[in-house]
Amino acid sequence: VRKFTLNQKKNLLLTTTKLSKGKILDVGCGTGSFLEIMKSAGWETVGLEPNADARKQTSLKNIECYEPNYLLIYPTSNLM
């Protein structure tokens, strides 16, 4: 069920943005499951997550994940 829901979320994003690839910032990414789906679809992914254990799980999936305060120092050139 979770995989089905995450794929629906991916398809909603693709339909809404009309993009097949790009960059995505997931605020409150949890363990990075959605970012994992998007990364496998060819997107560049970054997550923000306040929970240290969840951030660790996301990082184990080779997905960049930072605590929310990182947004204050994240280079804006990386957002484009």
Side-chain angles (χ1 to χ4, degrees):
V1 172
R2 181 161 176 81
K3 200 119 180 138
F4 176 79
T5 304
L6 291 171
N7 276 314
Q8 281 188 317
K9 189 175 176 180
K10 177 187 85 172
N11 291 335
L12 176 65
L13 183 103
L14 298 176
T15 302
T16 304
T17 64
K18 299 189 180 4
L19 298 172
S20 60
K21 292 182 183 174
K23 296 181 180 183
I24 187 165
L25 171 65
D26 188 356
V27 178
C29 68
T31 59
S33 297
F34 178 63
L35 290 176
E36 186 176 33
I37 295 277
M38 296 308 294
K39 188 173 184 176
S40 69
W43 285 64
E44 294 179 48
T45 60
V46 175
L48 296 178
E49 174 55 48
N51 183 285
D53 292 333
R55 277 196 314 273
K56 183 177 180 182
Q57 291 299 312
T58 302
S59 295
L60 290 174
K61 296 174 183 175
N62 290 322
I63 295 170
E64 287 183 69
C65 186
Y66 305 97
E67 61 182 292
N69 289 338
Y70 183 74
L71 191 58
L72 299 173
I73 60 169
Y74 192 75
T76 56
S77 62
N78 291 345
L79 297 175
M80 301 297 175

